[in-house]
Each structure stands twice: as structure tokens, then as C-alpha cells.
Amino acid sequence: MSVEARAAALELADEVLRAFHGDACARVGALLLKHADGLTLRDLRRRLPDQPDVASALVALLQHGEGRARHSSIDESRPPVYSVDLHAVLRRPRQARALRALRRHTQAGAKVVEACLEAGCCSTQKLREVAQEDALLTQLATYGVLAKCDGVEDYRDVNTNTLFDEKNRDLPTETASKAKSRAAAMGQALHSDDGSVWRCSHRALKALLRREATLDVIEKKLNKRMRRVAAALWDLGAVRAVPITPAPDPEDDADQREERENSYVLKYAAKVADVEALIRRRHGDAAAKKVGQDLELLQGDHIRVVSSQRQKYGRGESQETYLLEPERCRAYIRSETVRALVKQKLDSDAARLHRALSEHEHLAESDIAERALLPPKDARTKLYALFHLGFARHVELPRQADRPGGAIQLWKADCERSRVVVLADTRRALARLLKRRRFECEKDEGLDPFSLDDARAADPRKRERLRGRLDRLDRAILQLDEACELFEDDD
């Protein structure tokens, strides 16, 4: 992480801790983020002498999974060292979007997840009181939504599993070893009441958000019918895991890489008949009539939302199988966002020039000007403007290899640098919005923002104006957090 990107991340983390936990947790968290190796409780109290509730703030961070504790000695004779997980803090604002997406699948499950997120971690007895039925908790654990607070989450299979869906209760298959072990752990905790503590798996919530984002892109770009087909592919497990699956081996040649790719598609791709059966069960016979044509349209789209391959079944019969590609949707949204930002900071000519750089690698200035329909002088000016903003880079090559002097510049879009720049800018903007929201809440001491519905708190007109301002700020915060998630690396 560059210095600029880390500074923006730390600024946002400070505002997130202040907004969700208060000033004490913000001060403790900022100090722990500054000391990456961690500090003991004694060191924290010595560095924060005017903060009496350091221990309570540390407990709050640990309870919500944003703090970490480790022992510096094997025999645990020395006091533990505490630190803060920066990524866990930055994930906190997107919990509201995850709950909104989860309510589309199950209202009862969303209540359990909301209670668990609010408390940070919950005992089995507390979850049972909220859920009111043990079967719901078992299903949430099976799908990886609830995880035991006994170490690092290793439920990586929830990246491709469908979360709990009341209309489709048999996915994922409970015969899978990991899903079966999760169900057994919850069943044992419910039966024996052993005091187990559970928290929401951030991997499961991220998988849900990624699923909804991919389907939203397909619906906005195409139509709602295509969304249903893509949702069926995802729920059948015919989706390529992120970031790249299978992982490329640098020692493989082209034939070996193609064989690994084909073996992955053969394992996870879905047949048209399976997609039709799932859509028919969910939406009726009329919705399943043109599934084959819809899959071909998704494959023929310019971002190639779906990839296909023919497989042999039975007595030599071959059928077309399909695999959903969510990373291509994310790459498409990233490129469109970057070009919109270039257009906003510069102009439409610069955005057209950036598109030419993205579609072709290592172009000379004359070729770029021709493809962007710009005069060479204007193209050069805009190229250097993109370079200074971090959206383009160039490579100098000698005109003649055997003669020194004289070089030609070849340009290309700098995708990684542009990702870092956009992410840093978005995080800074999100931090300013959180700061603005805190200012709006503290501006009028007589109006408590947490009791806006109480007519006795203040003048009703004043309360309505504050409510409108806070609603607009909340919507903007969720939109910027969605952009942050789009440009973040996969952990």
C-alpha cells in the first residue's frame, strides 16, 4: 500500500471508528493503527493518560472483530499484544448494504444477522432468542453466515455458495464436507448449550454483496430476464471464484493452462436443462422458455458475462455448459467509473483517449491521436495530464537498438495506479461525509439525532430538516462505500 493510499485509509478508519464506536475507540484504534506491531494494555494507558476507559474501548474493538490479540510468548507468561485490523474497520459501513441485500432472501435470517452485527458477537442462547427456531440458526451456520469465534475464518467455499434463500432451500448441498461440519458445530452448540460465541462471517456477507452487485450490473445493462438467468447460474454454483480460478502456474505452458481451465469449467459449469429447471421452480414455466437464447445473449455481450464450453455426456452426446464470470462485470464497472472520473477531471476528449489506451497496449502518440480522433498536439497534452493524474504511463524505447540517442514513447493505461488513485480519492470523500454527518448531529445540542421520532425532543420542522440531511448523507455514504468495495483488493 502506497503512502497516499494508507493515509487515506487511516483517515477513513478514524472516522469510521468515531462514527460507530465513539471517541474513546477512535483514539485507541488510531494509536494501534499507528503502531503496526501492536501495544500492550499498559502501553496504551501510558500513551493515553487522559483516557480513563482504554480497557472498555479495547474490549469493544475485540468484540466487533476489529481488534486482534496475540501473546508474545509461547507460555503466555507475558501480557498480550493488541492491534487493529484496518480492513475489518473499513468493512464496517457496508454492513447496512449487506443487511438490505439479505432481506431479499430472508427476513428472519436478516434479524439474526442484524442482532449479531450490532453486538459484534453473540452467544448461542442470544441467537436462539432472536431466531425463535433452531432450524434457522442451523441453516445460517450451514451457509457460512454465522461463524464460531474460535480463530480465523477458513470458510472460503461461501464465496460461491448461495446464501440462505427461502425459495431455494436445497442450496448449497449439505453433503459438502465444510457445510456439513458447520451444521454439526451449530447443532452441537444448540444441543449442549456449551457457551459458544458466534459472529457474522465477513466472507459470506462479501459474497452476498458481490452477488447482488453482479446481478445489478446485468439487469441495468440488459434486462430483468437476464438477471434471473444469471442468478440461477450463481445459485447452481456455476460461477468462477474470485479473483482467478484456477490459479495460473508460471511453469505451465499454453496447453497446460488451457487444460487446467477446461478442467475447471468441466467441474463447475451448468447445463441449460439445470438452469431451466431452477428458473421454472422459482418463476414458473413461462420464464423458462427462452433460457438457452438468454445464455447465448449473455455470452455474446461485449463484456462476456458468461463463458461456455461443450461437454460430452452419456453416449457421446455433447451439450453446451455455461459459467458466470463476475470479475468481468467488476472490471467493466471499474473501467466505466475511471472514464467517468477522467471526464469529470478533464473532458470528454481525455475520456475517449483513455478508452483507446485501455483497449490497446503500448501505442505511440500518433496512433493514440488517430484512434481518439484528436490532433497530435492536443493528444500529447492530454496524455501528460492523464500521466500526472495516475491514469496512464509510458515506456521509452530506443529507435535503433545499436545506436544510442533518440527514443520513442509508447503509452498504455495504468490500471493498478488508477485503481489506487480512485480508491484513495473515494476513501477521502467518504471520510469527509462521515465527518459532515457527525457535525450535523452535534450542531444542535438540543436535538438528539437518535430520537428523531420523538415529537417532544425539538421543533418538528427542525427535526424534519435534520432527518432529511441525515438521509441524504447516509445514501451518499452507502454509494461511496460501494465504490470503495469495487476498487479494493480481494483479501
Side-chain angles (χ1 to χ4, degrees):
M1 185 181 294
S2 64
V3 177
E4 180 185 3
R6 180 165 180 81
L10 291 178
E11 180 184 358
L12 176 58
D14 181 70
E15 292 298 329
V16 169
L17 289 174
R18 200 176 302 275
F20 287 91
H21 299 297
D23 293 339
C25 288
R27 294 189 63 187
V28 173
L31 187 58
L32 290 177
L33 287 172
K34 184 178 179 182
H35 296 80
D37 295 334
L39 296 172
T40 62
L41 181 58
R42 183 178 179 182
D43 294 335
L44 285 171
R45 285 173 172 166
R46 187 174 66 249
R47 285 174 167 82
L48 299 172
D50 57 340
Q51 190 69 46
D53 50 352
V54 173
S56 301
L58 194 58
V59 168
L61 292 175
L62 292 171
Q63 184 173 350
H64 285 85
E66 296 162 3
R68 298 288 184 267
R70 72 178 191 278
H71 288 275
S72 55
S73 60
I74 300 177
D75 56 355
E76 300 183 3
S77 59
R78 296 180 181 179
V81 177
Y82 300 98
S83 60
V84 168
D85 187 353
L86 179 60
H87 297 289
V89 175
L90 297 179
R91 286 195 300 263
R92 188 62 191 268
R94 63 198 56 160
Q95 292 178 357
R97 293 193 298 113
L99 283 174
R100 183 179 60 186
L102 189 59
R103 288 191 182 98
R104 300 177 184 176
H105 295 261
T106 167
Q107 292 288 338
K111 291 180 181 179
V112 176
V113 172
E114 184 177 5
C116 195
L117 290 176
E118 184 178 357
C121 53
C122 290
S123 63
T124 309
Q125 183 63 28
K126 177 64 176 178
L127 292 177
R128 178 177 285 178
E129 294 175 1
V130 178
Q132 298 181 352
E133 57 180 25
D134 295 346
L136 175 62
L137 296 179
T138 303
Q139 285 184 326
L140 287 174
T142 303
Y143 285 80
V145 181
L146 295 178
K148 259 190 175 182
C149 300
D150 55 356
V152 181
E153 299 176 18
D154 57 352
Y155 302 150
R156 296 184 178 273
D157 60 319
V158 302
N159 283 328
T160 55
N161 282 346
T162 305
L163 294 184
F164 179 54
D165 193 338
E166 292 174 341
K167 298 181 180 178
N168 193 23
R169 292 180 179 272
D170 58 340
L171 293 173
T173 56
E174 297 185 4
T175 56
S177 58
K178 292 183 179 180
K180 195 173 182 179
S181 64
R182 291 196 291 267
M186 177 59 78
Q188 181 180 0
L190 292 172
H191 178 70
S192 61
D193 197 8
D194 54 359
S196 299
V197 181
W198 303 81
R199 74 167 73 249
C200 290
S201 169
H202 80 274
R203 292 186 182 277
L205 297 182
K206 186 176 73 171
L208 176 61
L209 289 175
R210 184 154 297 186
R211 177 184 187 275
E212 296 300 320
T214 303
L215 299 182
D216 288 343
V217 170
I218 294 174
E219 182 178 0
K220 291 177 182 178
K221 193 175 184 300
L222 298 171
N223 52 48
K224 193 171 183 178
R225 192 176 76 248
M226 300 297 180
R227 178 192 176 100
R228 289 199 297 261
V229 175
L233 281 174
W234 194 297
D235 297 344
L236 288 169
V239 52
R240 190 179 299 277
V242 292
I244 297 175
T245 306
D249 191 341
E251 298 182 358
D252 289 350
D253 55 18
D255 294 337
Q256 290 173 329
R257 285 195 295 269
E258 184 178 359
E259 183 179 355
R260 287 163 60 87
E261 171 71 18
N262 292 339
S263 63
Y264 180 83
V265 174
L266 286 171
K267 183 177 181 180
Y268 293 103
K271 296 183 291 187
V272 178
D274 297 335
V275 181
E276 288 179 348
L278 183 55
I279 293 179
R280 186 178 295 108
R281 185 172 63 179
R282 288 180 172 179
H283 308 285
D285 295 336
K289 289 183 178 179
K290 299 182 179 180
V291 171
Q293 299 178 9
D294 294 340
L295 287 170
E296 292 179 359
L297 289 175
L298 287 172
Q299 182 188 4
D301 191 80
H302 76 280
I303 63 175
R304 295 180 62 217
V305 181
V306 168
S307 59
S308 67
Q309 183 177 339
R310 295 195 69 84
Q311 299 185 29
K312 291 184 178 180
Y313 296 92
R315 302 176 180 178
E317 298 180 356
S318 60
Q319 297 183 18
E320 200 78 22
T321 57
Y322 295 90
L323 191 71
L324 190 64
E325 304 282 355
E327 277 300 293
R328 292 176 183 172
C329 294
R330 287 171 59 85
Y332 169 75
I333 295 299
R334 281 198 200 105
S335 60
E336 293 298 321
T337 304
V338 170
R339 275 192 279 275
L341 188 60
V342 169
K343 184 177 180 180
Q344 180 182 1
K345 290 190 173 184
L346 298 175
D347 53 20
S348 58
D349 294 338
R352 191 165 63 250
L353 190 143
H354 185 269
R355 180 184 293 273
L357 290 175
S358 302
E359 295 175 352
H360 304 85
E361 291 189 359
H362 297 114
L363 293 176
E365 290 183 3
S366 58
D367 296 333
I368 297 173
E370 181 180 354
R371 295 178 186 274
L373 304 177
L374 292 174
K377 185 177 180 180
D378 295 345
R380 176 178 299 179
T381 303
K382 297 185 186 303
L383 279 173
Y384 279 99
L386 291 173
F387 173 76
H388 289 300
L389 289 175
F391 296 138
R393 63 186 178 95
H394 61 81
V395 179
E396 291 188 356
L397 298 178
R399 294 183 181 275
Q400 296 182 359
D402 56 344
R403 293 185 181 181
I408 184 173
Q409 288 184 344
L410 300 181
W411 293 81
K412 67 173 296 185
D414 195 344
C415 298
E416 179 60 24
R417 175 61 181 164
S418 61
R419 185 191 67 81
V420 173
V421 169
V422 174
L423 181 59
D425 290 345
T426 308
R427 282 175 172 171
R428 280 192 290 267
L430 182 55
R432 288 194 292 268
L433 282 178
L434 290 172
K435 188 179 298 184
R436 178 66 186 184
R437 192 187 191 284
R438 178 162 51 87
F439 170 76
E440 291 289 346
C441 294
E442 298 174 353
K443 184 171 61 173
D444 194 337
E445 298 180 357
L447 185 61
D448 185 3
F450 299 104
S451 60
L452 293 179
D453 294 329
D454 188 1
R456 298 170 297 176
D459 181 19
R461 291 177 298 179
K462 194 173 185 179
R463 189 178 65 250
E464 289 295 331
R465 287 196 296 268
L466 177 59
R467 180 185 296 168
R469 291 195 298 270
L470 293 182
D471 287 344
R472 289 192 294 272
L473 285 171
D474 289 340
R475 286 195 296 268
I477 287 171
L478 293 180
Q479 290 175 358
L480 284 182
D481 179 69
E482 186 176 0
C484 288
E485 184 191 10
L486 179 67
F487 285 91
E488 284 177 356
D489 279 332
D490 292 299
D491 53 352

